[in-house]
Amino acid sequence: MVPHTTTSPKVVSQSLDFTLSTTLPREVIDFIQAADTVFVGTTYVPTPQDALKHPPHAGMNQRGGRPGFIRVRADKRTVVLPDYSGNRLMQSLGNIERTPLASLTFMDFVTGDVLYLTGHAKNHYGEDARKIMMQARLLTTVEPTGYTF
């Protein structure tokens, strides 16, 4: 890594109040679809009866693949993140099942550009996943609630 001590970050585009009719700008879609890495943030909020045994927590995990492995659907808003077999712990997927929220952080390690996106997350399995991405057996979709690029 090479430090960039003279940077002057600025917000290129931002929407903190996404509605169902809001779409992502072309530069944000292009940035997502060029990414080979994303950091997925999730939370777990237990039911009151489970709180002592399974306390609430938050976590962030890295997902990677070839550039383009993350897609944006034709609606120009829904982010599609296929699940690739990794350490088989699947904590992020379990957190999303219990608390369907996620944050996605995309970074360009050369330019220093960063995209922060939050949204409502849903896991899709089997045939449901294949309807969205033909080869996928498991994937997560994120409907944005806001982003900063």
Side-chain angles (χ1 to χ4, degrees):
M1 299 190 104
V2 177
H4 295 274
T5 57
T6 59
T7 61
S8 55
K10 64 181 184 273
V11 174
V12 174
S13 62
Q14 180 178 60
S15 175
L16 302 179
D17 191 22
F18 239 61
T19 66
L20 290 176
S21 62
T22 309
T23 59
L24 294 168
R26 171 58 33 204
E27 68 267 13
V28 170
I29 293 171
D30 291 345
F31 191 73
I32 291 169
Q33 295 185 156
D36 64 358
T37 301
V38 64
F39 296 88
V40 181
T42 60
T43 59
Y44 172 78
V45 179
T47 60
Q49 61 268 29
D50 288 340
L52 287 176
K53 186 175 180 183
H54 304 286
H57 61 266
M60 183 168 274
N61 293 292
Q62 180 269 344
R63 299 287 190 267
R66 292 186 174 173
F69 85 101
I70 302 166
R71 313 269 174 84
V72 176
R73 294 189 82 174
D75 63 7
K76 298 180 182 173
R77 59 179 283 108
T78 306
V79 179
V80 178
L81 178 61
D83 186 69
Y84 297 140
S85 232
N87 61 14
R88 305 212 189 275
L89 293 177
M90 299 199 289
Q91 182 175 355
S92 297
L93 298 173
N95 287 351
I96 289 169
E97 285 297 310
R98 179 68 188 106
T99 311
L101 302 170
S103 67
L104 303 176
T105 303
F106 299 88
M107 293 191 286
D108 183 319
F109 294 100
V110 175
T111 66
D113 293 341
V114 180
L115 169 65
Y116 303 100
L117 186 140
T118 58
H120 299 286
K122 181 179 179 186
N123 295 325
H124 300 266
Y125 309 91
E127 190 58 34
D128 188 33
R130 282 189 284 281
K131 287 178 185 175
I132 297 169
M133 189 179 280
M134 196 164 45
Q135 300 290 329
R137 292 185 296 170
L138 173 60
L139 58 82
T140 301
T141 56
V142 179
E143 295 285 338
T145 55
Y147 75 91
T148 300
F149 183 44

